[in-house]
């Protein structure tokens, strides 16, 4: 700073520690430091909320900078501007003197300008015989130069936050539109499912969105709505697959029985014996037609055909799609204790833990195998984790799992709402995968 000593305000205006700190900061300007005053002013406008100044105060700062003689602020060219209140008021769009003084005080308090008051409080400059300014009294813009890097960083962060908020808001709007129209399409096409419950869940999610929200708030709501949208799409895709299967069932059945090495019959330990009995019956001249019918393996009940994929299929079943492992562990952190070494790092670990929990809950092996066949191993393990998380709320875990398997076969069960409810119940303190 030009003064080299502490300067206090004129008249009844008090001195404060904040003013003293600003004066000390203004003395730390790096040698040769320069900034375009208008680029720096635009950065201040971007960072206005972080700097704690009002838009009217920025109008006054804009007017002050017009009195700085050069486009670049530097110590070599001086840092003091000394307009009168009348001149400053004209360039501040006719701002009244009282309002002008109030917003000048805001700029000083925010540490953007400093007062260098003369003995009588007037603003002026003393010039030497060559016309150069020797000493000036008025407002120092030295804090702008000293805080230039900080101000530019705050402005960049403000721009990034605003862009993130815009993008998140757009994605949330698109997700809301998708859910609304997909539900309408499902109702119009008569797709089976609890669409009334899904619509109520959608309305509840909409009601929780605050009118003025941050990007973080919107991101949380976007995650929940994205999960709901994915579940709706899964239900509609199941309906499309069902139509295709019904139209070509005989062809699909023939293909599955001849080409699928993981057929459900090969998973039945009694089927190999039945095949041997069937061959013996074919060679036995005393075997009648009734014996042949008795020995012929029957298709599984409940409308399930070989297209179920079987428990040996490492992916999800035809009716459901698996959700991200991280989401499952966030919703069901209790399953982590049963993983290998007390942690779960992949789907294989989760399925191993589910086998342990299945036995602990008293779920029979046949019930769990049916769930793996109908839902897919990953989703069956996910459901076991959900049952464990709900603890004492389920009286018969085995019967509950069988019921969910049957509902999956009819296209009436969706894992998404169950996971969402557990995520909300566990809150942000849920444990994550190691």
């Amino acid at each position: 700073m030009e003064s080299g000593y502490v300067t206090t305000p004129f008249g009844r205006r008090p001195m404060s520690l904040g003013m003293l700190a600003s004066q000390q900061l203004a003395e730390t300007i790096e040698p040769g430091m320069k900034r375009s005053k208008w680029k720096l002013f635009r950065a201040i406008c971007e960072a206005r909320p972080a700097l704690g100044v009002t838009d009217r105060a920025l109008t006054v700062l804009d007017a002050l900078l017009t009195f700085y003689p050069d486009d670049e602020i530097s110590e070599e060219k001086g840092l003091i501007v000394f307009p009168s209140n009348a001149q400053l008021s004209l360039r501040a769009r006719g701002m009244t003197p009282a309002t002008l003084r109030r917003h000048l005080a805001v700029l000083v308090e925010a540490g953007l300008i400093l007062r260098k008051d003369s003995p009588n409080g007037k603003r002026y400059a003393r010039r030497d015989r060559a016309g150069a300014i020797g000493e000036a009294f008025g407002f120092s813009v030295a804090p702008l130069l000293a805080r230039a890097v900080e101000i530019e960083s705050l402005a960049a962060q403000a721009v990034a936050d605003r862009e993130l908020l815009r993008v998140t808001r757009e994605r949330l709007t698109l997700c809301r539109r998708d859910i609304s129209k997909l539900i309408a399409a499902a109702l119009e096409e008569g797709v089976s499912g609890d669409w009334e419950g899904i619509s109520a869940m959608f309305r509840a999610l909409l009601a929780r969105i605050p009118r003025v929200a941050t990007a973080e708030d919107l991101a949380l709501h976007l995650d929940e709505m994205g999960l709901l949208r994915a579940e709706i799409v899964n239900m509609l895709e199941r309906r499309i697959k069902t139509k295709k299967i019904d139209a070509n069932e005989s062809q699909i059945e023939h293909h599955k029985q001849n080409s699928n090495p993981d057929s459900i019959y090969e998973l039945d330990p009694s089927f190999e014996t039945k095949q041997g009995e069937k061959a013996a019956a074919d060679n036995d001249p005393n075997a009648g037609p009734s014996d042949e019918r008795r020995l012929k393996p029957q298709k599984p009940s409940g409308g399930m055909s070989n297209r179920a994929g079987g428990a040996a299929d490492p992916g999800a079943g035809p009716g459901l799609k698996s959700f991200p492992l991280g989401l499952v562990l966030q919703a069901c952190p209790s399953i982590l204790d049963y993983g290998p070494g007390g942690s779960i790092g992949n789907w294989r670990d989760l399925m191993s833990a589910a086998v342990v929990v299945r036995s602990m809950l008293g779920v029979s092996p046949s019930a769990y195998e049916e769930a793996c066949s109908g839902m897919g191993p990953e989703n069956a393990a996910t459901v076991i984790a959900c049952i464990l998380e709900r603890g004492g709320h389920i009286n018969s875990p085995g019967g509950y799992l069988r019921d969910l398997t049957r509902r999956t076969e009819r296209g009436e069960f969706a894992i998404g709402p169950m996971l969402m409810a557990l995520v909300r119940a566990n809150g942000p303190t849920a444990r994550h995968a190691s």
Side-chain angles (χ1 to χ4, degrees):
M1 227 177 81
E2 289 183 342
S3 62
Y5 57 86
V6 173
T7 176
T8 57
F10 171 78
R12 291 181 294 180
R13 288 192 293 268
M15 182 66 177
S16 68
L17 292 179
M19 292 181 186
L20 182 60
S22 296
Q23 291 182 28
Q24 292 175 343
L25 177 64
E27 293 176 354
T28 62
I29 299 174
E30 297 180 3
M33 184 81 164
K34 294 181 180 180
R35 282 294 188 276
S36 167
K37 64 181 181 181
W38 298 123
K39 288 183 178 179
L40 192 54
F41 178 72
R42 283 194 291 272
I44 293 171
C45 292
E46 293 284 2
R48 180 177 66 82
L51 294 172
V53 292
T54 63
D55 53 348
R56 299 296 299 278
L58 291 183
T59 301
V60 176
L61 181 60
D62 182 21
L64 273 176
L65 291 177
T66 62
F67 290 98
Y68 194 81
D70 294 290
D71 286 336
E72 283 191 337
I73 302 175
S74 65
E75 283 190 289
E76 292 78 7
K77 298 173 183 177
L79 297 172
I80 304 292
V81 292
F82 40 90
S84 66
N85 278 354
Q87 292 174 320
L88 194 55
S89 176
L90 288 175
R91 297 197 188 184
R93 283 79 171 167
M95 189 175 292
T96 63
T99 304
L100 185 67
R101 288 192 295 269
R102 185 168 67 253
H103 291 301
L104 283 170
V106 170
L107 293 173
V108 171
E109 186 177 352
L112 296 179
I113 62 173
L114 288 175
R115 291 182 184 274
K116 185 183 177 184
D117 289 345
S118 66
N120 61 3
K122 301 294 184 182
R123 300 177 201 134
Y124 58 87
R126 290 197 182 100
R127 301 178 183 272
D128 57 20
R129 292 182 179 180
I133 296 177
E135 187 173 15
F137 298 97
F139 294 104
S140 172
V141 294
L144 297 183
L145 203 56
R147 299 179 63 186
V149 175
E150 175 197 354
I151 291 170
E152 290 163 353
S153 176
L154 290 174
Q157 185 62 48
V159 171
D161 290 345
R162 186 170 64 247
E163 180 64 16
L164 177 61
L165 180 62
R166 182 188 66 80
V167 171
T168 307
R169 194 180 297 278
E170 285 181 354
R171 290 176 179 173
L172 185 60
T173 299
L174 292 174
C175 192
R176 290 172 58 179
R177 185 182 71 190
D178 292 346
I179 293 174
S180 178
K181 294 199 172 185
L182 288 172
I183 291 176
L187 293 174
E188 184 176 349
E189 295 289 337
V191 178
S192 60
D194 185 15
W195 296 109
E196 184 176 347
I198 292 175
S199 298
M201 184 183 300
F202 178 47
R203 290 192 297 270
L205 288 176
L206 291 178
R208 287 166 46 204
I209 300 176
R211 186 175 297 275
V212 179
T214 63
E216 291 77 10
D217 294 334
L218 294 180
L220 292 176
H221 293 289
L222 179 60
D223 289 342
E224 292 186 344
M225 285 202 176
L227 188 60
L228 181 60
R229 177 176 60 182
E231 192 60 41
I232 294 173
V233 170
N234 288 348
M235 296 174 72
L236 296 179
E237 286 179 349
R238 289 200 297 272
R239 175 59 179 269
I240 294 173
K241 291 178 182 179
T242 301
K243 285 186 176 181
K244 290 181 179 179
I245 291 171
D246 290 342
N248 304 282
E249 188 166 31
S250 60
Q251 180 180 354
I252 294 175
E253 289 296 329
H254 176 76
H255 171 72
K256 289 288 184 179
Q257 290 171 359
N258 286 277
S259 65
N260 187 359
D262 294 332
S263 171
I264 192 171
Y265 297 121
E266 295 184 14
L267 298 174
D268 187 350
S270 64
F271 181 57
E272 185 175 353
T273 303
K274 291 180 180 179
Q275 282 184 317
E277 293 175 355
K278 176 65 169 62
D282 289 340
N283 295 326
D284 186 358
N286 297 323
S290 61
D291 296 325
E292 184 174 350
R293 285 194 300 269
R294 177 175 55 82
L295 294 174
K296 185 177 181 179
Q298 301 297 317
K299 292 182 181 179
S301 61
M304 290 293 290
S305 67
N306 289 0
R307 63 181 177 270
D313 186 355
L320 298 174
K321 289 185 178 179
S322 61
F323 288 86
L325 179 61
L327 176 63
V328 175
L329 297 180
Q330 182 183 0
C332 310
S334 298
I335 194 73
L336 287 166
D337 296 331
Y338 301 91
S343 64
I344 294 176
N346 51 53
W347 280 106
R348 184 178 298 277
D349 292 346
L350 179 64
M351 288 187 280
S352 299
V355 172
V356 177
V357 172
R358 186 273 305 165
S359 176
M360 183 187 72
L361 294 176
V363 176
S364 66
S366 62
Y368 187 60
E369 288 176 6
E370 290 176 8
C372 289
S373 177
M375 303 178 182
E378 294 178 352
N379 285 319
T382 300
V383 171
I384 288 292
C386 292
I387 293 175
L388 173 66
E389 196 66 30
R390 295 184 64 182
H393 297 286
I394 300 174
N395 295 327
S396 175
Y400 183 62
L401 182 62
R402 288 186 186 275
D403 179 64
L404 294 183
T405 302
R406 288 191 294 268
R407 289 170 58 190
T408 300
E409 295 171 4
R410 298 194 299 266
E412 297 175 355
F413 172 60
I415 296 180
M418 179 186 292
L419 286 176
M420 288 170 61
L422 290 174
V423 167
R424 287 194 295 270
N426 289 330
T429 59
R431 293 177 291 177
H432 296 276
S434 60

